[in-house]
Amino acid sequence: MARPQVLKALSGLLLVLFVAMISSTIVSTALPKIIGSLNGSQTQYTWVVTATLLAATATTPIWGKLADLYSKKLLVEIAIGIFVAGSLISGFAQDAGQLIAARAFQGLGVGGLQALVQVVIAAMIPPRERGRYNGLLGGVMALATVSGPLLGGLIADSSLLGWRWCFFVGIPFALVALVVLHRTLHLQVTRHGKVSIDYVGATLIALGVSILLIWVSFVDNSFAWLSWQTAAMAGPGIVLLVVAVWWESRTVEPVVPLDIIRRRTPALAILASLAVGMAMFGGAVFLGQYFQVGRGYSPTEAGLLMIPMMAGVLVSSTVVGQIISRTGKIKPYIVAGTIVLVAGFAVLATVDNSTSMIIVSAGIVLVGVGVGMSMQNLVLAVQNTVALKDIGAASASITFFRSLGGTVGVSVLGAVLANRVLASVREGLEAAGLPSTAMGSTSNLNLEQLPPEIEGIVRNAYGDATGHIFLISAVIALLGVAAAVALKPTMLRSSIDLEEPPADEPGGDAGKHKVSAG
């Protein structure tokens, strides 16, 4: 594709990315109100997010593998169609269970979009030039992340629209993106002969992770860590993941290519992405809840309070993307980004229900800067080490593990938060001389239906418990720092495909493969 064609197609891809990002961010500030109006629990609050992440995580490698085999353009169009259908179903959900199921279906489309955008850009633009385009991607991500929470808050507060429009509002953007890409995206389809898709591996991974996450949601609440329920749930989950690894090592077309992720640079980048995903998704998901439930702000105000994080993402990703394109060096910025991320979560770990908003904002800015410097550049580091024929699988693999980290992070941190809030509410009720059954069947997130004295107890419990999950996020993010430091310094290549074996794979045969970029 010539440069004018690339720029036109890129505008459609940026719209696609905007659609995928805003589907999560627009719900973040409205979710406390959504779950409250549906009388859902804290566990269901967590699973509205986890269901989308899990579905996206399980299908991302499949989308990436399909992109190496079939028309990337058609796959993007299919993913947009699934996303639109999932958005419609989510908007009409009548209870929390239906909403969780609809969000899981929506996640199938999100998984395709977040994998295929990376793949298509890699097929059009050389890694050395891709740095400045990553700045644009970071800018769009920041725009979606800034406008999403604010727009979601405004919609949830609006008497004319209501929270259901948080799911409907992204549909026009998706349809515009579909039209733009259908008209402008033209990539050569490269066939690889007889191929197979590893549905077995994807199913084993999805089932294993799902069982473990369900166990995490209930352990230490419905049953003890050492119990027959733990053995019955955690045991099969671990066995399924072990079998998945065995299967991936033997199948012809693995959904997670072990030969790629065993290399030094991809392995370390994946480990860093796993830690960044756990910290970022797991921590940021609960910020909107902290502002609204713990501090009493409205959804609109919570959206405004999230702007410092998004500004940090926007500025850091754009500036660092330009610097990387000029210098060709990437490791120093990934290392710096992961360190800043840890510092941000360390600041947020000190918050409670009375912390100065200046301190909270400082922590939020640092988290945003850290994410902007590290997340997208970890994908670029992996893409720089593989041949064009493996771009889809490699890009999808790192996106898969980042989403997996986010899924695990949201589930684990949500379970920790739910347990701490439950214990704090019980202590608060006891201190106020109220019975533990004083709330009846009303969810502690349905604040409008709670008596004022109980509402205050619930708000204090959420405000004080949130700092603990940010402390866990900081510890997890330290793994990302260690992995980033261990990355081997390399210069970004200027060609679309490899011309010689990757620096960390001497003697490899990657350089023998030449594939037209179209």
Side-chain angles (χ1 to χ4, degrees):
M1 294 174 59
R3 181 175 174 79
Q5 291 179 304
V6 169
L7 293 176
K8 290 177 182 179
L10 186 63
S11 65
L13 293 173
L14 294 178
L15 275 175
V16 168
L17 183 63
F18 181 80
V19 167
M21 289 294 298
I22 205 171
S23 69
S24 298
T25 59
I26 199 172
V27 176
S28 60
T29 50
L31 199 52
K33 197 161 195 172
I34 294 172
I35 297 300
S37 66
L38 297 176
N39 202 38
S41 65
Q42 177 63 45
T43 298
Q44 289 174 319
Y45 181 104
T46 301
W47 271 94
V48 169
V49 179
T50 300
T52 305
L53 286 173
L54 184 59
T57 300
T59 56
T60 291
I62 294 179
W63 289 105
K65 176 57 69 174
L66 289 172
D68 285 336
L69 307 174
Y70 304 110
S71 169
K72 298 174 179 63
K73 176 179 178 178
L74 178 61
L75 290 171
V76 170
E77 293 173 342
I78 292 173
I80 294 175
I82 294 174
F83 173 84
V84 169
S87 299
L88 285 171
I89 300 171
S90 298
F92 289 112
Q94 299 301 307
D95 57 48
Q98 291 179 13
L99 180 58
I100 291 171
R103 290 280 288 171
F105 181 74
Q106 188 184 40
L108 301 178
V110 173
L113 296 178
Q114 67 184 11
L116 294 170
V117 167
Q118 305 282 352
V119 171
V120 172
I121 289 177
M124 296 190 303
I125 304 168
R128 183 66 178 265
E129 296 297 318
R130 213 173 298 151
R132 62 170 56 95
Y133 292 102
N134 276 348
L136 292 176
L137 290 176
V140 170
M141 291 170 65
L143 177 62
T145 317
V146 169
S147 60
L150 182 57
L151 183 59
L154 290 170
I155 291 173
D157 281 337
S158 171
S159 58
L160 295 177
L161 297 176
W163 62 261
R164 296 184 185 277
W165 277 90
C166 290
F167 301 104
F168 298 148
V169 74
I171 294 176
F173 292 98
L175 295 179
V176 170
L178 181 64
V179 172
V180 170
L181 288 172
H182 184 74
R183 292 180 175 180
T184 62
L185 185 61
H186 305 289
L187 289 175
Q188 179 178 320
V189 179
T190 305
R191 302 288 184 182
H192 295 265
K194 186 177 180 180
V195 297
S196 61
I197 305 299
D198 184 20
Y199 297 109
V200 174
T203 302
L204 288 171
I205 293 171
L207 286 176
V209 172
S210 299
I211 291 173
L212 290 178
L213 293 182
I214 293 172
W215 166 68
V216 167
S217 297
F218 292 100
V219 71
D220 203 28
N221 186 3
S222 300
F223 50 82
W225 287 89
L226 298 178
S227 62
W228 68 267
Q229 292 96 333
T230 290
M233 296 179 71
I238 294 172
V239 169
L240 283 171
L241 292 179
V242 171
V243 173
V245 173
W246 171 82
W247 176 266
E248 295 298 273
S249 67
R250 298 177 64 87
T251 189
V252 177
E253 297 282 353
V255 71
V256 179
L258 299 182
D259 61 320
I260 292 178
I261 67 175
R262 277 197 294 254
R263 301 174 189 172
R264 175 177 171 177
T265 296
L268 290 171
I270 283 171
L271 179 60
S273 291
L274 193 67
V276 169
M278 288 184 71
M280 183 194 68
F281 286 104
V285 153
F286 299 105
L287 274 173
Q289 191 175 31
Y290 168 75
F291 289 136
Q292 293 176 65
V293 181
R295 301 300 294 266
Y297 291 103
S298 70
T300 301
E301 291 169 334
L304 291 171
L305 289 169
M306 293 288 287
I307 289 179
M309 174 185 286
M310 313 322 161
V313 174
L314 172 61
V315 173
S316 63
S317 62
T318 303
V319 172
V320 170
Q322 294 292 331
I323 294 174
I324 288 175
S325 284
R326 286 198 299 266
T327 65
K329 297 179 180 179
I330 191 169
K331 176 181 174 177
Y333 306 100
I334 295 177
V335 173
T338 55
I339 293 174
V340 172
L341 185 64
V342 171
F345 280 123
V347 173
L348 292 177
T350 65
V351 305
D352 56 26
N353 60 13
S354 60
T355 302
S356 167
M357 292 307 298
I358 295 177
I359 296 176
V360 177
S361 297
I364 289 175
V365 169
L366 289 173
V367 170
V369 171
V371 169
M373 293 180 68
S374 59
M375 186 170 66
Q376 199 63 30
N377 289 321
L378 286 167
V379 178
L380 180 56
V382 171
Q383 292 176 340
N384 189 59
T385 66
V386 298
L388 181 62
K389 72 181 186 66
D390 294 321
I391 281 287
S395 302
S397 293
I398 190 168
T399 306
F400 167 82
F401 282 103
R402 185 176 67 208
S403 298
L404 178 62
T407 306
V408 174
V410 170
S411 185
V412 171
L413 296 180
V416 171
L417 181 65
N419 290 334
R420 293 197 67 90
V421 166
L422 183 60
S424 297
V425 169
R426 286 173 179 170
E427 292 174 2
L429 292 174
E430 183 179 349
L434 297 171
S436 59
T437 58
M439 298 176 60
S441 60
T442 304
S443 164
N444 57 19
L445 289 174
N446 196 358
L447 297 174
E448 296 178 357
Q449 302 299 319
L450 294 175
E453 63 274 16
I454 297 181
E455 178 185 346
I457 292 172
V458 171
R459 289 191 184 279
N460 289 337
Y462 272 96
D464 292 339
T466 304
H468 294 281
I469 65 173
F470 288 133
L471 177 60
I472 296 173
S473 296
V475 174
I476 294 171
L478 283 172
L479 296 176
V481 176
V485 170
L487 284 171
K488 187 174 182 179
T490 55
M491 293 293 291
L492 296 179
R493 67 177 191 259
S494 299
S495 59
I496 288 286
D497 205 354
L498 284 177
E499 297 179 355
E500 56 186 7
D504 59 348
E505 292 295 316
D509 60 356
K512 299 178 183 178
H513 302 283
K514 289 287 179 181
V515 183
S516 171

